Amino acid sequence: VLPWDMGRQDVLDFSEELVKQVGRPVILPSGDTSRVSASIGLSSRGFEVASAKDLLEQADFALFRAKEQAAGAVVEFSSRHAESKRREVLVHQAFKNARLDREIHLVFQPIIDTHDGTISRCEALARWDSPEIGMVPPGEFVPIAEKAGMTQEMTLAVFRKVIAQLKVWPDNACIAVNLSAQDVNSQQCTDLMASMLIRQPPSLRKRISIEVTETSLLTDFTEVHKNLMKFRELGVKIALDDFGTGFSSLRYLQELEFDIVKIDRSFVSSIESNDKSFGLVRTISRLCRSLSIACVAEGVETREELEHVRAAGCHLVQGFYFSTPLTAEKMLPYLTGEESFEGMGTLVPVPRRDVA
Ligand code: C2E
Ligand code: CA
Ligand code: CA
């Protein structure tokens, strides 16, 4: 809390200095050097606030934005922030009141095995059509649900829909479900999912996979391990999503016994222009093969990207090049083989070596 009469520039200078001082290396008694960094969010009476609490909330909001930037950032609460905070509050309120079973529906994006053009599985992606505020994309409502600790209800609603869908789709159709960090870390949520699964025949359970991201594994490894093993014991496959964006720990790959690794889109979209991305995709796909883990390239949008990921040894592919997410009804003819995805036609066949 700074004196009322300090000018804006003085406040910024003070903050920069604070970050600089906190960031100075500290020599520990052991002789090692320790470094910490600080980020700062600022708010002032520039925006309408009813109370000190509002002011703190604004500073907190700016701090969130600061943390998204490089360490040591200083961010002032701005009118742009005020707008996105208003939207966040609106979405949060609507989500809290939502009847998710009714308001959420699923679309499905195929993961294609480019050896032969068959569908390896479909990823279920949530769409929320709120009667209060209209369509909200998952990139917006999932982080809000996560921040508010409200993912469980959403995940269970999605999971129920996935099980229902598998019952009406052909027997060879498999579905992947996304789990939030909180779900994977929650004994209650994973128990509830397991109790839904146990009521299904093994032949249905083995058609389900769950996708978890690296960041969800960071909090309590033992708890996450225990929760994930509930799925494994029931025959559900486990995928590591967005691989390469977090810590990409080999320990996770080995100890959590992943069946599938999904290479993040950021590597795929830079694969043509960046030799390092190509090298990384090749290394990850080799690593997966030697560990008997299936490897999927995410976000393949063009023919060139497809050729590159295949040349790098990755033959399971998801992305707009083959298909955007489709409704269950539109997906059906592809699952029955009545229709096939364009773009497979002229691919040079390669011998099948990887696991599926
Ligand atoms: P994700 O799990 O990485 O899902 C893939 C996202 O990439 C989807 O976005 C998909 O539409 C998009 N995508 C697929 N191919 C391409 C491509 O070629 N180019 C580009 N630019 N994008 C592509 P969507 O459906 O908007 O979902 C965004 C994120 O929201 C998902 O990322 C996932 O983290 C989250 N999400 C979606 N549904 C659920 C859900 O049911 N539960 C949870 N916990 N998270 C979900
Ligand atoms: Ca996913
Ligand atoms: Ca992903």
Side-chain angles (χ1 to χ4, degrees), residues 116-187:
D116 52 14
T118 52
I119 301 175
S120 164
R121 62 185 61 240
C122 297
E123 178 173 3
L125 295 157
R127 297 290 178 261
W128 176 35
D129 193 5
S130 159
E132 281 176 48
I133 57 170
M135 279 295 268
V136 186
E140 187 175 10
F141 73 79
V142 173
I144 289 174
E146 285 172 350
K147 221 165 131 184
M150 298 189 303
T151 54
Q152 177 171 310
E153 200 195 333
M154 170 182 84
T155 304
L156 295 177
V158 168
F159 207 57
R160 265 192 291 277
K161 285 172 197 281
V162 162
I163 290 174
Q165 192 62 57
L166 284 169
K167 288 183 179 164
V168 295
W169 264 357
D171 290 346
N172 60 349
C174 301
I175 301 182
V177 192
N178 289 286
L179 263 65
S180 286
Q182 283 155 10
D183 309 327
V184 190
N185 283 278
S186 156
Q187 184 181 347

Side-chain angles (χ1 to χ4, degrees), residues 223-242:
E223 180 68 24
V224 168
H225 186 260
K226 194 181 75 195
N227 290 338
L228 287 182
M229 288 312 122
K230 293 176 201 166
F231 291 98
R232 152 113 331 113
E233 278 159 23
L234 290 166
V236 167
K237 293 197 170 58
I238 308 172
L240 184 53
D241 202 357
D242 304 344

Side-chain angles (χ1 to χ4, degrees), residues 14 21 57 110 144 147 151 157 164 194 204 280 284 312 317 319 356:
F14 177 83
Q21 293 299 334
E57 269 180 27
I144 289 174
K147 221 165 131 184
T151 54
L204 185 139
L280 268 169
I284 298 169
V317 168

Side-chain angles (χ1 to χ4, degrees), residues 66-303:
K67 285 182 178 171
E68 286 164 5
Q69 299 179 21
V74 175
V75 172
E76 267 183 292
F77 190 79
S78 66
S79 51
R80 208 164 27 87
H81 293 151
E83 183 46 44
S84 65
K85 190 162 183 285
R86 260 196 298 277
R87 170 77 187 168
E88 212 173 275
V89 170
L90 190 76
V91 175
H92 181 165
Q93 280 306 331
F95 192 83
K96 235 169 50 185
N97 301 334
R99 302 175 66 175
L100 295 177
D101 266 326
R102 260 193 226 171
E103 294 172 26
I104 282 199
H105 74 271
L106 301 180
V107 288
F108 300 89
Q109 190 179 31
I111 297 169
I112 308 281
D113 185 337
T114 61
H115 287 107
D116 52 14
T118 52
I119 301 175
S120 164
R121 62 185 61 240
C122 297
E123 178 173 3
L125 295 157
R127 297 290 178 261
W128 176 35
D129 193 5
S130 159
E132 281 176 48
I133 57 170
M135 279 295 268
V136 186
E140 187 175 10
F141 73 79
V142 173
I144 289 174
E146 285 172 350
K147 221 165 131 184
M150 298 189 303
T151 54
Q152 177 171 310
E153 200 195 333
M154 170 182 84
T155 304
L156 295 177
V158 168
F159 207 57
R160 265 192 291 277
K161 285 172 197 281
V162 162
I163 290 174
Q165 192 62 57
L166 284 169
K167 288 183 179 164
V168 295
W169 264 357
D171 290 346
N172 60 349
C174 301
I175 301 182
V177 192
N178 289 286
L179 263 65
S180 286
Q182 283 155 10
D183 309 327
V184 190
N185 283 278
S186 156
Q187 184 181 347
Q188 188 191 32
C189 184
T190 47
D191 275 349
L192 287 168
M193 292 176 86
S195 68
M196 272 194 234
L197 282 167
I198 208 142
R199 283 182 257 136
Q200 310 304 324
S203 56
L204 185 139
R205 299 202 294 250
K206 71 174 203 263
R207 294 160 63 199
I208 302 177
S209 60
I210 53 165
E211 297 194 357
V212 301
T213 57
E214 285 169 333
T215 37
S216 54
L217 313 175
L218 289 180
T219 22
D220 182 346
F221 189 83
T222 322
E223 180 68 24
V224 168
H225 186 260
K226 194 181 75 195
N227 290 338
L228 287 182
M229 288 312 122
K230 293 176 201 166
F231 291 98
R232 152 113 331 113
E233 278 159 23
L234 290 166
V236 167
K237 293 197 170 58
I238 308 172
L240 184 53
D241 202 357
D242 304 344
F243 188 73
T245 56
F247 285 81
S248 313
S249 161
L250 298 182
R251 179 178 167 214
Y252 294 158
L253 279 189
Q254 197 202 7
E255 290 188 19
L256 295 175
E257 300 169 49
F258 285 102
D259 303 285
I260 303 159
V261 159
K262 299 182 80 176
I263 304 178
D264 190 67
R265 182 165 75 87
S266 54
F267 299 102
V268 173
S269 46
S270 57
I271 200 166
E272 281 173 80
S273 55
N274 187 337
D275 286 347
K276 285 197 180 127
S277 296
F278 182 83
L280 268 169
V281 175
R282 192 173 51 194
T283 305
I284 298 169
S285 65
R286 281 185 186 158
L287 177 74
C288 287
R289 191 173 302 142
S290 63
L291 295 172
S292 298
I293 296 173
C295 180
V296 178
E298 285 197 283
V300 171
E301 292 183 350
T302 64
R303 178 77 193 184

